[in-house]
Each structure stands twice: as structure tokens, then as C-alpha cells.
Amino acid sequence: MEAMFLSRWQFAITTVYHFLFVPVTLGLSVFVALLETCYVRTKKPEWKGACKKLVQFFGALFVINFSMGVVTGIVQEFHFGMNWSEYARFMGDIFGAPLALEALTAFFLESTMLGVWIFGWNRLSEKAHCLTIWLVAIASNLSAFWILVANSFMQHPVGYVLNNGRAEMQDFFALLTNHYVLGEYTHTFFAGWATAGFVVVAVSAWKVLHDEKSRNAFRQPLKGGALFMLIGLLCSAGTGHFHAQYLEQANPMKLAAMEALWEDEDPAPFAVYANINEKTHKNDSELTIPGLFSFMVYNTPNGEVRGMNSLQADYEKQYGNGDYRPDVTGTFWSFRIMVGFAGLMMLLALVTYVLARKEDIHKHSTLLGLIPWLLPIVYIVNSCGWYVAEAGRQPWIVVGLQKTADAVSPNLTGGDVWLTMIGFTVVYLVLAIIALKLAFHFIRKNHVSYEGRN
Amino acid sequence: MELQIVWFILIAVLFIGFFFLEGFDYGVGGLLPFLSPDDKDRSQILRTITPVWDGNEVWMITAGGALFASFPHVYSTMFATFYLALFLMLFALILRGVAFEFRGRRESLGWRRFWEGCIAFGSIVPAILWGVAVTDLIRGLPINEKMIYTGGFLDLLSIYSVVGGLAFLFVFLYHGASYLTIRLSDTSLIERARAMGMKMGRLAVIFFVLCMVLTATNTDLYHSALATIALVLAAAVFVAANVMLAKRNGKASFILSSLAIVFTTVAFFAGLFPRIMVSSLNPAYSLTITNASSSPYTLSVMTVVACIFVPIVLIYQIWAYYLFRKRITAQDAEEEY
């Protein structure tokens, strides 16, 4: 029991940590590829030089981030067998395939081409060099697709058959076309744009404000990054909305937990605030907007949305005794933090974009000074999103098929996991501090001058 | 049945690729602090692997993923069995991976020395652990009828597995030194790499032969004719590699040490076949290609995918090596951006 509890913590710590770097990799690879395309295509000689320097500048930040993503990613691949061997045994037929495909189709391409990109500036033509960063971007985003195919199966199993107590793959294309993947993938893809956009905006804002030599050059990525971030936020909000609508069929328990809806209601209200009581299975107090939840789900202000208590009764009939409600408080508030902060970021991206189009952007010192301090918000938003997705799935590790409690490696002792969990946490903490300091140092010391007009 | 054999061979191929490629970059990493005290020399040594190490490491990740997809029981039992050993390996690989990126980002000598140490640690530890794992797998581990490991961390260590670990380490260090002689341009550095290679080669031969002897008493590897031939061939070409290095023929030495690694891996898999993890409690509890594999459907999907992508991967990885084929000069090492 202790090994299971600690393994969950260890997985949570290491995945959340891993996903600090992943969305930056996903989005920044595309951003750098776009920037290098500008460099290759521009007809203005004075801009070309500055643009190349900017590509290398953001490229270096990308590489620091990428290396952290890689080393923390290997841990995740090993974890499924190390801590969750009974899960891997039960699911290997289905889960192993996308994982192997991720390595074979994406990781090889990504890592090989990144090596070529970093060291190939003088060995390849401009166009060929630009192609390598595009391949890195494509491969990164492809790897996200594969891992989300695997994750989507855990959320909403399709294309399988149960045989000898194991889930066996029956239809590979059903796995790929799982509607759940569509929602998770598009949402994650654009979250990558939003995250990387924010990183670019934060760095550029700092440069515009504090580095006079580079001010003119960084106005361009400030504007471009804000637009990139805005597109990412709008699209991930849209895909998130459709995905939540889809949850009504695919995982109604998670949807109800996100909204702390205990009883079936028609029309269902939206709770702005709820004082959730998980012991009595109701909200002690709440502030609701009538009919809004139904409207969000069905696009009309009425329609029944299932509540957790009646779903619980159904599941007990179907799966036997047990509590099938996830951590409602955590899921409810994570969802609200995600949505609220995403709205704040949209406003910020829009304002930054509008102001960055003007010549005198550096005079808005309050805004520019504030932006880098707000950067942690996007990381909080990403983590909250994953909390909703993963905690909302509990008590299942594979919804309807295997419980988390049955998935842990039977040979592990609590002591084993204590040791590794502390080990990972300490190493990760130290490396995070070092990587951040390096990035700050790099941002401060490297200048890009540009004399031309934007 | 046939697909299970195909996948057994494919897993073997992935491990061959992994040991061959990471063999030399673990070797270079492990030797880094011992070849020259000079910072610029070390930059050159590192520069021989910085563009490619990450692509090499993906061979291990792919082998792990492919094992998961094709033999999920093996993946499950193996990774849970080696829990603490794998933690140590991950710890080493984490430090190694970031060290490549961090080292060049500061001028301070202390900073650089620290990350060079991490690269060496992160290369030596996995090299030893893979040797331990390979010898453990073929010797057999206490695995019960539910395919669950019943031992503890210390049961993974025996004289045989420690000798196996050291044999892997010294073979890789030799392989790395041999790689350096064909990738560096500074003659005094090449000479130092060669001298170090000679030393490591002698140690490697000793431990390799010792390991071969212990294999006879600890395992049934020699019951397989193919495994026996492959292992003897491995030893023979490895000795030949040493002779070539003594004659200052770096290229031949590297090719022969590569072959030694290939043959050793072949011997290991041939000796295991049709088992993948041997149980020391009861031969019937061993994980084999039949009782540990995925369903035929998964295997056939994965076979199609592998047939398409493995050749593509090979093509662009070879292209990447071709692109960086020139010997590394001091100037190359300075163009860190």
C-alpha cells in the first residue's frame, strides 16, 4: 500500500516536472523554425543578420529546455515498468506500441536533426539547415501525438479485447482515431504555442526594457511571440471547450467532478465557487449561474448533465463496490485556476501585441517589467490541466479496466520508493535551479543589434 | 510463433545498435577526464560525440519501447526487477544528458570540470550496469511463477555479474578510445587516446576472458552452438582490434571492436533464446518469447511499422555521421554557439 501511495507521488512529481519542459519544446521548436524561415526568405540584408542572431538566441534557449525535457522523459518511459509493472503487463499490448512508435518515428528524428541543426550552420545550405529545425519541430509534435494516443486509451479505452486478464489490441486505427486523442492532442499542441509564446514574450520584454543594444531587434519577437501566444491560447481554449463537451459521453464522472456537480440536474448550473464536502457528497455552499453548465455542454441552456452520485450508483452496479469519484476538490479548483489564468494570459497577449506594434513600446515600462514575473502562470495552467486530466481519471489507471491500486509493481517496498522519490526530487530541484540560472545568464549576456526599421 | 522470433531478433538488433553506438560515446565520456588536463583538449574530445550522443541514446529508448510493445511481460518484470539499479542508471543518464548541454555555457574552469565529471560518471555507471544486467539475465534471477522478482537489490550482484559489468566497461572504454583515434586531428591527443586504448584493451581482454570462463560455470550459454561461436569470435576479433591499435591502425581497430560488441550481443541473445529472462527458481518460470509476448495482432502491426521506419532511421543517422565525418580540430571545438 505504501509503495503504491509513494509511486503515485513519484509519478506525479516526475511527470509534472517533465511537462514543465515539454510544452516549451513543442511550441518553441515551431517558433524557431518560423523565425529561421524568415531568416532564409527575407530580402532585407540588414534584417537578415539580426534575424539569424535571434534564431540562434532562441535556439539556445530551446536547446537548454530540450535537454531537460529529454533527460526527464527517459525517466517516464522507465517508470511504467519500474513502478507500474502490473499496469505494463496488463496494458503492454496497447500501451507499448505507441511508446515504441514514439521512439522510432519521433525521438530518432528529433534528436538526430537537432544535433545536425546545432552543429550544422556551416555545413549545410541555408535552406537545408532550415529544413532540419522544421524536422525537429515536426518530430517533437509527433512524439506528443504518440504519447497522447497512449494516454487517451487510459482515459477512454477503444479498439481492444480482454483476453486472459489482459487488454489486447484489436484495432490499431481505432487507437489512433480515438476521439479522445483529437481533444487531448489539439489542446496540448496549442498549449505548447501558448507556453512557448509566453516564454518568447517574457524574454523579449526583458530585453526591450533592460538591454538598449538589443531593444530594436527584440521588438520583433515581442510582437511575434505575443501573436503566437494569443493564437495558442484561443485555439487551446476552443479545443478544450469541445473536449469538455465530448467528456459528457466519454467520461461523465470527470466532467461532473470538474464542475462539482453531485446530482443529475436539468438544466445544470455552473458553479463559480463551491465549498465542496467530499464526505457528505454535496457542496456545503456554492455560488452558481443557472443553466450555464448545460449551455456549455449542449450549446442550449437546458439538457440533463449527470451528477457524481448517480454515476457512482451506476458504476457500483457495473464494477462492484468502491468509490468511483475522483478528488473533486482538486479537480474542481484546478479547472478553475486553468481557465481563469488562461483568460488573464489572453488579455496580456492581446495588450502586448497591440502595444508592440508601436515604435515606443519600450516606454511601457510597467507592462514590460511585469511580464517576466507573470511567466510562472502558464506553467501553473499547464500543470492544472494535467491535474484535471489525470486526477479526474482516478480511481482508475485505465478507465473501466484496471484500478490504480492494482497496477503497482508487487516487488517494490516502501523503502525502495522513498529512496528513489527523494532522489528524483532532489536532482530535479537542483537541475531546475541550474538550468534557470544558465538561461538567465544567457539572456543577459547575449546581445542582438539591429539598426533597421521594423 | 514466427513473429515472436522476428521480434526477438529485432530486439537483439536494437541492442546491437545501442551497444555499438553508445558503446563508443560511453567510452569517450568515461575517458574524458583522464586523457588530458587541458580545457581545449577536452572540448575537442567532447566535440567528437556532442552532435550524435542523443541520437545514440534513442537506440536504448527504442529498445525499451520495442520490448514493451513486443514482450510486455519482459518489460514489466525486467524494469521492476532492476528497480534500484535502473534508478541509479537514470540518475547517471540525467546528469550526463544535461552535462553535455551545460558544460560549455560557462567559462569557469571549476564549472567545466564539474560537468566533465558528471559526463564521466554518467558514462561509466550505465556501462557497468548494462554489463551487470546482461550477465544477470542470462545467469537467471529468482523469478516466481507469476513472473515476479522475489529477490532484492543485492541479489543482482554476484562475482559473475560484477565481472560482466567490468568487462562491459573496459570494452566500451576501449571502443571509445579507438573511436577517438579516428575522430581527432591533434596528433598528441590521438597518441594519448591510443595509449589509453591499449591499457583499457588489456584490462578488457582480461575481464572478457574471465567472463567467458564464468559463463561456463554460471550459465548454459555454451549449450547453444551459435552463442558459443559468436562469443569466441567476439574474443578473437577483440584481440585483433588490440593488435591493430598497437600497429596504429585506428580504423581497423574501431571496426574490429565494433564487431566484437556485435558478436557479444549476438552470443547473449543466442544463448538466451527462446528465453528472454531466465528464472533461477525453476526453468518453467522463465519468460520466453511465447509466454511473454504481445498478441499476434500487435506484433504484426509493429512489424509493419518497424519494416518502414528502421531503414529510414538508419539512412538519416548514417547521413548525420557522414555530415560530421571530418576529424575534429581545435577550431571546431570552439565554435560553440
Side-chain angles (χ1 to χ4, degrees):
Chain A
M1 214 44 203
E2 193 191 7
M4 202 249 330
F5 178 72
L6 294 171
S7 291
R8 285 186 66 184
W9 268 105
Q10 178 168 306
F11 201 90
I13 291 168
T14 53
T15 356
V16 168
Y17 189 81
H18 178 53
F19 204 77
L20 298 177
F21 307 102
V22 172
V24 180
T25 299
L26 296 181
L28 201 54
S29 60
V30 176
F31 186 84
V32 173
L34 285 169
L35 199 60
E36 188 167 350
T37 310
C38 291
Y39 155 71
V40 172
R41 292 180 60 104
T42 183
K43 298 276 191 298
K44 292 189 279 181
E46 73 277 12
W47 171 238
K48 199 170 173 81
C51 192
K52 181 176 180 181
K53 284 223 175 100
L54 284 173
V55 171
Q56 290 178 326
F57 181 89
F58 286 108
L61 295 180
F62 172 76
V63 172
I64 294 175
N65 173 78
F66 181 83
S67 69
M68 294 292 288
V70 166
V71 297
T72 54
I74 309 173
V75 175
Q76 295 317 109
E77 193 208 18
F78 281 28
H79 252 146
F80 302 116
M82 287 168 67
N83 293 70
W84 305 100
S85 70
E86 296 319 287
Y87 163 78
R89 217 179 281 289
F90 175 76
M91 277 280 291
D93 261 50
I94 294 153
F95 199 86
L99 226 58
L101 277 160
E102 186 184 21
L104 204 53
T105 63
F107 289 159
F108 268 127
L109 190 62
E110 188 181 28
S111 55
T112 309
M113 290 305 156
L114 188 61
V116 172
W117 186 78
I118 295 171
F119 297 97
W121 283 98
N122 302 323
R123 287 179 180 78
L124 291 170
S125 72
E126 276 181 10
K127 279 185 184 160
H129 189 264
C130 185
L131 180 66
T132 60
I133 189 72
W134 274 110
L135 289 172
V136 171
I138 290 167
S140 306
N141 285 283
L142 182 63
S143 79
F145 173 76
W146 289 120
I147 199 66
L148 292 175
V149 165
N151 182 268
S152 292
F153 186 91
M154 299 166 75
Q155 311 279 0
H156 185 241
V158 291
Y160 71 97
V161 58
L162 286 180
N163 211 349
N164 301 324
R166 294 177 65 240
E168 290 188 352
M169 197 196 293
Q170 199 175 32
D171 183 355
F172 181 61
F173 289 96
L175 286 183
L176 301 189
T177 53
N178 186 349
H179 195 85
Y180 217 100
V181 182
L182 186 70
E184 275 198 341
Y185 183 69
T186 50
H187 196 54
T188 311
F189 178 83
F190 287 112
W193 283 44
T195 312
F198 205 160
V199 169
V200 171
V201 166
V203 171
S204 304
W206 193 89
K207 290 301 257 187
V208 169
L209 189 61
H210 296 286
D211 180 0
E212 261 177 64
K213 270 187 266 177
S214 310
R215 175 168 296 160
N216 206 21
F218 275 91
R219 281 180 47 207
Q220 201 63 28
L222 181 64
K223 196 168 68 184
L227 186 62
F228 198 71
M229 177 180 168
L230 191 62
I231 293 170
L233 285 165
L234 289 172
C235 292
S236 57
T239 55
H241 170 69
F242 289 120
H243 190 57
Q245 287 194 328
Y246 167 69
L247 281 184
E248 193 269 322
Q249 309 148 36
N251 195 339
M253 184 64 99
K254 188 191 283 182
L255 183 67
M258 280 156 66
E259 300 299 351
L261 186 73
W262 294 97
E263 307 300 337
D264 299 352
E265 287 193 52
D266 182 8
F270 175 84
V272 179
Y273 159 86
N275 186 6
I276 296 161
N277 190 330
E278 300 203 33
K279 290 214 176 67
T280 56
H281 309 302
K282 64 183 182 64
N283 298 335
D284 289 340
S285 62
E286 55 185 15
L287 178 70
T288 61
I289 303 171
L292 183 60
F293 188 18
S294 287
F295 183 74
M296 286 159 71
V297 176
Y298 301 111
N299 305 325
T300 64
N302 41 53
E304 190 193 54
V305 183
R306 305 281 314 267
M308 282 176 283
N309 292 339
S310 80
L311 287 164
Q312 164 72 19
D314 284 4
Y315 291 168
E316 282 201 4
K317 262 183 235 152
Q318 199 178 345
Y319 304 115
N321 286 341
D323 193 349
Y324 296 94
R325 288 164 289 221
D327 163 23
V328 183
T329 314
T331 312
F332 176 85
W333 286 111
S334 292
F335 183 66
R336 266 145 196 77
I337 292 169
M338 175 179 79
V339 173
F341 275 163
L344 183 70
M345 288 196 295
M346 268 182 221
L347 191 69
L348 186 71
L350 186 67
V351 170
T352 310
Y353 179 67
V354 171
L355 293 178
R357 292 167 61 89
K358 297 188 181 137
E359 214 48 59
D360 61 349
I361 171 71
H362 59 277
K363 288 182 186 151
H364 296 272
S365 53
T366 322
L367 177 72
L368 294 178
L370 190 65
I371 288 174
W373 292 102
L374 296 178
L375 185 59
I377 286 179
V378 72
Y379 292 96
I380 295 170
V381 167
N382 289 332
S383 305
C384 284
W386 274 113
Y387 189 87
V388 172
E390 300 303 291
R393 160 169 63 74
Q394 304 299 333
W396 300 104
I397 192 163
V398 186
V399 173
L401 298 181
Q402 190 180 39
K403 287 194 181 156
T404 310
D406 302 325
V408 75
S409 304
N411 62 316
L412 291 189
T413 65
D416 290 341
V417 193
W418 267 119
L419 185 72
T420 57
M421 187 173 76
I422 293 170
F424 281 126
T425 308
V426 171
V427 176
Y428 279 8
L429 217 57
V430 171
L431 287 184
I433 294 167
I434 296 172
L436 267 179
K437 284 188 85 169
L438 268 184
F440 290 158
H441 178 81
F442 178 86
I443 292 164
R444 228 173 289 136
K445 296 286 166 197
N446 286 273
H447 308 286
V448 182
S449 60
Y450 172 53
E451 302 302 332
R453 281 173 48 83
N454 276 301
Chain B
M1 183 62 200
E2 282 113 27
L3 278 181
Q4 290 163 334
I5 296 176
V6 167
W7 273 90
F8 183 84
I9 294 170
L10 242 156
I11 298 288
V13 168
L14 289 169
F15 272 97
I16 288 171
F18 164 52
F19 288 144
F20 158 57
L21 292 167
E22 284 253 272
F24 65 74
D25 77 40
Y26 283 162
V28 172
L31 293 177
L32 180 66
F34 309 108
L35 284 172
S36 166
D38 180 65
D39 187 60
K40 288 202 169 109
D41 286 352
R42 290 189 179 186
S43 292
Q44 289 181 58
I45 292 165
L46 259 186
R47 183 61 178 68
T48 61
I49 55 171
T50 34
V52 293
W53 75 270
D54 194 12
N56 294 349
E57 192 170 270
V58 178
W59 282 86
M60 179 187 75
I61 296 170
T62 306
L67 202 61
F68 198 168
S70 55
F71 301 104
H73 288 294
V74 176
Y75 170 83
S76 307
T77 305
M78 191 186 289
F79 281 63
T81 298
F82 291 117
Y83 187 79
L84 290 177
L86 283 174
F87 168 71
L88 188 60
M89 176 160 356
L90 287 170
F91 180 78
L93 291 178
I94 289 170
L95 289 183
R96 180 177 195 262
V98 296
F100 280 116
E101 178 50 35
F102 289 176
R103 174 191 173 270
R105 299 218 168 264
R106 285 278 166 95
E107 294 302 322
S108 139
L109 212 56
W111 170 269
R112 287 172 171 246
R113 287 291 136 97
F114 175 75
W115 292 111
E116 286 156 10
C118 287
I119 291 174
F121 172 81
S123 304
I124 290 170
V125 167
I128 296 174
L129 287 174
W130 276 109
V132 170
V134 161
T135 37
D136 272 343
L137 287 175
I138 191 132
R139 182 177 61 113
L141 291 164
I143 295 167
N144 71 13
E145 73 285 0
K146 288 184 178 152
M147 301 183 176
I148 291 164
Y149 179 62
T150 58
F153 177 67
L154 292 177
D155 295 296
L156 300 174
L157 299 174
S158 63
I159 293 177
Y160 179 50
S161 66
V162 171
V163 168
L166 291 173
F168 261 62
L169 172 66
F170 290 119
V171 169
F172 286 169
L173 290 174
Y174 174 86
H175 195 43
S178 176
Y179 174 78
L180 284 175
T181 63
I182 59 173
R183 296 290 290 119
L184 291 168
S185 60
D186 181 308
T187 43
S188 85
L189 261 186
I190 292 178
E191 191 47 43
R192 261 180 273 181
R194 197 188 69 92
M196 184 62 91
M198 293 305 297
K199 264 190 235 163
M200 294 301 127
R202 276 194 286 276
L203 284 166
V205 169
I206 293 169
F207 280 100
F208 198 92
V209 172
L210 199 58
C211 192
M212 283 175 77
V213 173
L214 289 172
T215 297
T217 54
N218 281 276
T219 76
D220 56 5
L221 184 133
Y222 295 114
H223 295 191
S224 153
L226 176 61
T228 313
I229 295 168
L231 201 58
V232 172
L233 262 178
V237 291
F238 193 68
V239 172
N242 278 276
V243 173
M244 284 301 151
L245 195 63
K247 288 186 174 171
R248 296 194 154 68
N249 187 342
K251 223 176 236 170
S253 148
F254 180 71
I255 292 170
L256 288 167
S257 74
S258 306
L259 281 177
I261 290 172
V262 174
F263 286 138
T264 309
T265 318
V266 169
F268 165 67
F269 278 94
L272 275 178
F273 187 83
R275 303 157 305 176
I276 309 177
M277 285 188 89
V278 178
S279 168
S280 59
L281 300 178
N282 184 337
Y285 301 162
S286 292
L287 281 72
T288 69
I289 63 168
T290 37
N291 72 8
S293 86
S294 294
S295 64
Y297 179 79
T298 298
L299 287 179
S300 57
V301 170
M302 291 307 297
T303 306
V304 174
V305 170
C307 286
I308 298 170
F309 283 99
V310 172
I312 296 177
V313 169
L314 283 174
I315 289 169
Y316 63 68
Q317 277 212 328
I318 291 170
W319 170 75
Y321 275 94
Y322 178 75
L323 191 68
F324 298 113
R325 68 192 175 281
K326 281 208 185 113
R327 284 177 180 265
I328 299 300
T329 63
Q331 197 196 347
D332 290 323
E334 273 173 24
E335 69 169 44
E336 288 167 40
Y337 77 119

